[in-house]
Amino acid sequence: MQLALAQAQLAADGGDVPVGAVVVRQDQRIALGHNRREQDQDPTGHAEIITLRAAARQLGQWRLTDCTLYVTLEPCAMCAGAIVQARLGLLVYGADDPKAGAIRTVWNLPASPLSCHPLTVLAGVEELACRKQLQQWFRRLRP
């Protein structure tokens, strides 16, 4: 999660909401990413999407069943959908997102009858650090 927090700081430095992500496979880092919506002017430029794409390219396959995604904030509906579609093995995230969380807070997309893949989730890892990073960024944005 420390690598994901460092990626989130890169997002903040670039003017984006500080969310970072890392894909790991068998204790080896496969891909890193952070929010780039503002930087790229791309509505799909979320840390999870960027990192899942990079991991799939690196591994030469879109099925990430033996991979773990670490992300600092609970994924939104778009990212939760991509995570399920990637057949991710494990999702580990830091802070819940009470406005748009689609893993357990607002919605539970992985548990939906529409979901094609059972997803194992570990929530609340480094939650305080993840939440603090987000809160500090939003305080500077909206004093």
Side-chain angles (χ1 to χ4, degrees), residues 70-81:
Y70 293 86
V71 63
T72 56
L73 182 65
E74 179 182 7
C76 69
M78 174 182 69
C79 295

Side-chain angles (χ1 to χ4, degrees), residues 32-50:
L32 301 167
H34 57 274
N35 273 3
R36 295 181 53 98
R37 288 190 315 172
E38 295 298 329
Q39 193 170 358
D40 295 345
Q41 292 301 298
D42 178 1
T44 68
H46 290 204
E48 300 93 326
I49 300 295
I50 290 165

Side-chain angles (χ1 to χ4, degrees), residues 1 70-75 91-97 103-105 121-131:
M1 191 60 80
Y70 293 86
V71 63
T72 56
L73 182 65
E74 179 182 7
L91 169 65
V92 178
Y93 75 86
D96 286 336
D97 184 347
I103 299 298
R104 75 173 191 176
T105 305
V121 178
L122 179 58
V125 174
E126 292 290 333
E127 180 178 7
L128 198 55
C130 294
R131 184 171 312 288

